Structures are given as C-alpha cells and as structure tokens.
Amino acid sequence: TQYIQMQLKWLDANHVRVWWYYVKSGARELRGDFRVYTNKSGHRCFHTGDQSKDFITGKMSLYFLKHFKKKNS
C-alpha cells in the first residue's frame, strides 16, 4: 500500500504551498501554490483546480484547514 502525506508550507497568511510525500519511496511531489480563504461557514480552506470548471468534472479537491494557522514569526 502506498501511503501519501500532504505537506504544507505557509507562504503568507493567505497562501500555502503543497506537496505529496510518498512515505514508501520517500519521494516528494510539488502540487502547487494555493490561496487559502474562509468559506461562508467560517472555515479556512483551499481548493485545487479551477473551481468554476473542475467541480463538474471531478478534477478539483477541497481541503479544510481546521487545525492549521499561519504563525507570525
């Protein structure tokens, strides 16, 4: 079984860089930079793909960042 971890790096208060980390092989694949926003329910989240087109085709994923916050250094 291939285990995959999502690794995040906050670029600023409203953007994250995301990688897939393949545990078995140790390889890391850059997925991209994404805008983090707050939805109508007040939850922080980001989505991959073009939300206006890819929602219909199923090529979009939505991720919620319930326990993640940008820490000020």
Side-chain angles (χ1 to χ4, degrees):
T1 303
Q2 179 71 25
Y3 292 101
I4 300 174
Q5 294 175 348
M6 182 182 356
Q7 297 181 339
L8 300 172
K9 177 182 179 182
W10 286 92
L11 301 175
D12 59 36
N14 295 309
H15 294 88
V16 291
R17 180 166 291 153
V18 179
W19 293 268
W20 283 165
Y21 174 70
Y22 297 92
V23 176
K24 189 173 182 179
S25 68
R28 208 171 166 201
E29 177 185 339
L30 179 63
R31 301 300 294 170
D33 295 347
F34 303 100
R35 185 176 69 86
V36 176
Y37 63 96
T38 303
N39 69 7
K40 293 177 187 176
S41 301
H43 298 105
R44 302 274 290 166
C45 54
F46 70 93
H47 63 80
T48 62
D50 183 341
Q51 193 172 19
S52 62
K53 293 185 281 184
D54 296 337
F55 180 75
I56 296 167
T57 62
K59 295 180 181 177
M60 182 189 95
S61 295
L62 179 63
Y63 297 94
F64 289 94
L65 301 170
K66 185 175 180 179
H67 299 290
F68 297 94
K69 295 180 182 175
K70 166 70 175 140
K71 293 182 181 180
N72 294 327
S73 311

